[in-house]
Amino acid sequence: MSLPLPLDGLSAIVTGAGRGLGRAEALELARLGAAVVVNDYGQPGRDGSGEASAAPAEEVAAEIRAAGGRAVAHLGDVSDHQQARELVESTISAHGRLDILVNNAGILRDRMVFSMTEEEWDSVIRVHLKGHFNTTHFAAAHWRARSKATGGPVYGRIVNTSSEAFLAGSAGQPNYAAAKGGIVGLTTSTALALAKYGVTANAICPRARTRMTEDVFAGFQEPADGTLDPLAPEHVSPLVGYLASPAAAGVNGQLLVVHGGMVAVVERPRVAAQFDAAKETFTFAELDGLLTPYYADRPPNETFAAAEVLGLKRR
């Protein structure tokens, strides 16, 4: 007699699941027993351009079903509030409830801050940050209503996708870095708001070779010996499966970096130094005498080389 799978009987939504990270995450959740709604708007351009198509989502759903899992495809733009509502409501209608939400959908419109257009800023913030909010809003309302109806905690898991672009900086991605930083704020706020209902919310910063990161990892060649690429999305998906599972009930409001067989837990910012005014308030001269020497003694704030940030060597 086979043992039950960790996610048996649970239903999940994975957004942006037609390719790359989302695809790997949807496959992993299905492998662990969840019934998966594979959401993807299906536009071919990584900048969100091109005609929307159901094909990417349908192909992943078919792949899951061929492996013996349960999955349906959903073509919808999560940056649209009403389409996000329909995604969540259709999942609840099909399965009786929603248990897991993995927010992964995103686009890139890279440009330096002094060259970026308003549309390039707005579009990336809309898909990443607003897209995360839209699905979270409707999922959270569902879990709150269920908890009130049952009089106790319910099962709910949110896994959001941030990026080290907001941690280490990314000169050509002010829109993307801002959106990913906002997602961390959304995650921690959601974690606090939903904890009393039994729901957890966590965020990951994945490093993976996908069409979104093809420029970033252009100098890091895939292994020629047939071993698994250190940047393969399959290194990220097991963490998503864990965070979506009952085993992670005690993990809430956390940010984790994951890639190539490594998971790092990121601490919340800590105070590095504190200075107190000699009198009621600071004077310019006093601040100059305190802060200027402090920063002069610290290493220069240099931009990390890609290999340093990624912890990888070019092959």
Side-chain angles (χ1 to χ4, degrees):
M1 181 176 178
S2 59
L3 294 174
L5 295 170
L7 304 183
D8 267 348
L10 302 180
S11 66
I13 292 172
V14 183
T15 72
R19 304 177 178 91
L21 275 170
R23 171 184 172 275
E25 291 162 355
L27 292 172
E28 178 69 5
L29 295 185
R31 188 187 70 80
L32 294 175
V36 181
V37 176
V38 180
N39 164 263
D40 200 287
Y41 200 37
Q43 292 174 306
R46 65 176 184 162
D47 61 351
S49 63
E51 192 71 25
S53 169
E58 288 176 345
E59 289 171 3
V60 175
E63 185 177 357
I64 290 172
R65 292 193 298 269
R70 295 169 296 158
V72 295
H74 181 275
L75 172 66
D77 179 2
V78 293
S79 71
D80 180 281
H81 201 61
Q82 293 309 311
Q83 292 186 51
R85 178 202 292 269
E86 192 279 328
L87 169 61
V88 172
E89 290 182 348
S90 65
T91 302
I92 296 167
S93 176
H95 300 289
R97 66 186 202 181
L98 170 65
D99 301 294
I100 300 160
L101 171 63
V102 179
N103 284 309
N104 173 74
I107 63 171
L108 290 178
R109 302 254 176 115
D110 293 352
R111 205 175 300 277
M112 302 296 282
V113 69
F114 42 76
S115 302
M116 181 165 288
T117 67
E118 182 181 15
E119 194 280 331
E120 288 167 338
W121 172 271
D122 288 347
S123 61
V124 169
I125 297 295
R126 184 183 69 250
V127 175
H128 286 273
L129 185 52
K130 186 183 178 186
H132 274 59
F133 161 74
N134 284 343
T135 54
T136 297
H137 167 76
F138 293 112
H142 166 65
W143 287 320
R144 179 173 179 266
R146 274 178 50 201
S147 177
K148 287 182 174 296
T150 61
V154 298
Y155 191 96
R157 299 285 187 270
I158 299 173
V159 183
N160 289 332
T161 307
S162 183
S163 168
E164 289 169 288
F166 105 93
L167 285 170
S170 183
Q173 296 181 307
N175 48 5
Y176 181 75
K180 291 306 190 182
I183 286 168
V184 174
L186 172 64
T187 303
T188 54
S189 176
T190 302
L192 290 172
L194 299 186
K196 65 181 179 180
Y197 303 119
V199 178
T200 67
N202 295 286
I204 63 170
C205 292
R207 304 175 190 171
R209 192 192 306 276
T210 69
R211 66 173 183 153
M212 290 272 288
T213 59
E214 58 188 13
D215 295 339
V216 176
F217 299 125
F220 299 92
Q221 301 301 318
E222 296 186 46
D225 58 3
T227 58
L228 185 63
D229 183 359
L231 291 168
E234 288 75 16
H235 287 296
V236 175
S237 54
L239 176 61
V240 173
Y242 166 74
L243 292 173
S245 76
V251 184
N252 195 26
Q254 299 298 299
L255 176 64
L256 302 101
V257 176
V258 54
H259 76 102
M262 183 279 293
V263 172
V265 178
V266 180
E267 286 188 338
R268 296 190 180 188
R270 295 184 295 172
V271 175
Q274 179 176 322
F275 304 94
D276 298 312
K279 297 183 179 179
E280 185 176 1
T281 188
F282 281 108
T283 64
F284 175 89
E286 188 179 10
L287 288 170
D288 181 32
L290 292 170
L291 294 179
T292 301
Y294 172 75
Y295 282 107
D297 291 340
R298 294 172 66 84
N301 184 24
E302 298 177 348
T303 300
F304 292 111
E308 293 175 305
V309 172
L310 300 173
L312 299 169
K313 295 181 179 179
R314 296 182 186 272
R315 296 175 184 268

